[in-house]
Amino acid sequence: MTTLTKAPRHTAEEYLAAERKAEYKSEFDGGEILPMSGASRAHNLIVTNITTSLNLQLIPGNRCEVYGADMRVHVPLTGLYTYPDVTVVCEEPRFTGMDVDTLLNPTALVEVLSDSTENRDRGEKFAQYQTVPALEEYVLIDQYRPRVEVFKRHTEGQWLYSRVDGLDASVPLASIGCTLALKDVYRRVSFEEPAASAPLEEGRQESGTGASEPRAQ
């Protein structure tokens, strides 16, 4: 029996050539060019707050570099080209070419969740991110309530999960030697319904296989 495979609509080379001239950003996945929609005010505030907080914590002489949402990241094993909301690299940065606009070896990635992106950020995209050997931590930020989730690489194919809730909480990012205080992450962000502060769920860590979709909490 012959299985027909749908040919990709675009090549990576076509995508990159168009992307470097485009007015608006797009991702590239499975031969498809995926236009990115605009971000909300809260989303933009959170990204700026996180980038500022991390930059202030990375003392002079620290090798880590923090990039905002304009830094493209490539996942060679799957062919994904994407724009994480915040990217940190603590090794010597490696890029795909002389343009120095597509990073290969992120140490930590941060995505701010929205209704339209949450399923992909938790599932398909995270599964692809896990194939990047340099990646040590993956951080998900809820823009609708004060909640931060962290997946930390434990062993090959195993990631430890932790979650904090409430503006009084903070979360350490061991891979880059920083701590995110939620009061800083959500500075100037308003929530539709006030969320009660919840203490850190001490000892709450879970391991999961690399290929599986993380459980939504």
Side-chain angles (χ1 to χ4, degrees):
M1 178 177 177
T2 302
T3 301
L4 298 178
T5 302
K6 184 179 179 181
R9 293 183 58 186
H10 303 280
T11 67
E13 291 74 19
E14 291 171 340
Y15 160 74
L16 289 171
E19 187 69 3
R20 287 173 176 143
K21 299 176 182 177
E23 185 177 353
Y24 302 103
K25 294 184 296 185
S26 298
E27 297 183 325
F28 181 76
D29 192 8
E32 297 291 325
I33 295 176
L34 309 172
M36 299 178 66
S37 60
S40 67
R41 174 179 178 270
H43 185 286
N44 282 311
L45 283 171
I46 291 169
V47 170
T48 299
N49 290 341
I50 293 172
T51 304
T52 300
S53 176
L54 295 181
N55 267 318
L56 289 174
Q57 293 181 66
L58 294 173
I59 60 174
N62 190 304
R63 295 186 303 165
C64 296
E65 296 181 358
V66 182
Y67 305 120
D70 285 333
M71 175 56 73
R72 188 166 49 244
V73 169
H74 177 46
V75 180
L77 191 62
T78 68
L80 174 69
Y81 286 86
T82 186
Y83 293 89
D85 290 313
V86 181
T87 299
V88 185
V89 57
C90 292
E91 300 175 350
E92 184 68 25
R94 293 189 293 106
F95 299 92
T96 57
M98 297 298 293
D99 292 289
V100 194
D101 61 0
T102 308
L103 185 71
L104 290 168
N105 60 328
T107 304
L109 295 175
V110 180
E111 297 282 12
V112 179
L113 302 176
S114 67
D115 290 338
S116 61
T117 65
E118 180 171 1
N119 287 342
R120 188 162 183 260
D121 287 339
R122 289 185 179 279
E124 179 184 347
K125 187 179 285 187
F126 181 39
Q128 295 190 63
Y129 282 156
Q130 289 176 63
T131 68
V132 177
L135 184 65
E136 296 182 30
E137 284 182 299
Y138 182 52
V139 184
L140 297 178
I141 309 291
D142 195 320
Q143 68 170 301
Y144 306 112
R145 55 186 166 181
R147 170 174 292 178
V148 176
E149 300 169 84
V150 179
F151 294 87
K152 179 177 175 58
R153 190 186 295 273
H154 177 55
T155 60
E156 187 63 33
Q158 297 289 321
W159 292 73
L160 295 179
Y161 171 86
S162 61
R163 189 187 89 192
V164 297
D165 295 83
L167 294 175
D168 294 332
S170 61
V171 57
L173 302 180
S175 66
I176 60 176
C178 294
T179 298
L180 285 178
L182 271 67
K183 64 180 178 61
D184 295 330
V185 170
Y186 293 100
R187 181 174 178 268
R188 295 187 180 275
V189 175
S190 299
F191 303 103
E192 291 184 2
E193 296 182 5
S197 295
L200 173 65
E201 298 181 40
E202 187 174 355
R204 176 169 169 68
Q205 291 187 326
E206 300 175 4
S207 62
T209 59
S212 64
E213 181 174 340
R215 285 208 307 265
Q217 298 297 313

